[in-house]
Amino acid sequence: MAENPPSPSETEIAALIVETLQLDMPVSTIEMDAPLFGDGLGLDSIDALELSLAIKRQYGVELRSDNADKVDIFRSVRSLTHYIAAHSPS
């Protein structure tokens, strides 16, 4: 089954992840539904903190560590993009 093509917003979030975390990979190789942690991009809690700060600076969306939905929010680029779109002040 083919993956849905990334939206411009998803590509933008993927680029933010690569830039913020200085990942050595092209944005085009990131699967939008792949896990951000573990077997996916292999991010860790420090990466999540750095990414949260970058998202707050870029989009004005605060991602708090005590948010009960944080596992779902950070599940993939796609889930993170949906959360930012739904909570963006602009």
Side-chain angles (χ1 to χ4, degrees):
M1 181 158 98
E3 176 184 330
N4 293 331
S7 70
S9 296
E10 289 167 345
T11 301
E12 185 177 301
I13 297 298
L16 180 69
I17 292 169
V18 168
E19 180 182 323
T20 299
L21 304 178
Q22 300 176 354
L23 301 180
D24 188 21
M25 64 189 314
V27 172
S28 61
T29 62
I30 296 176
E31 294 179 30
M32 297 301 126
D33 288 316
L36 294 178
F37 297 89
D39 293 337
L41 288 181
L43 304 186
D44 61 23
S45 59
I46 300 298
D47 295 328
L49 177 60
E50 288 182 42
L51 190 52
S52 295
L53 293 171
I55 290 168
K56 182 169 181 171
R57 276 194 307 271
Q58 183 80 20
Y59 301 102
V61 175
E62 191 166 354
L63 295 161
R64 299 174 47 99
S65 61
D66 61 353
N67 186 323
D69 296 331
K70 68 183 173 216
V71 171
D72 290 330
I73 294 166
F74 280 98
R75 185 171 312 283
S76 66
V77 172
R78 187 155 282 148
S79 63
L80 186 56
T81 302
H82 286 272
Y83 182 85
I84 292 168
H87 295 86
S88 181
S90 53

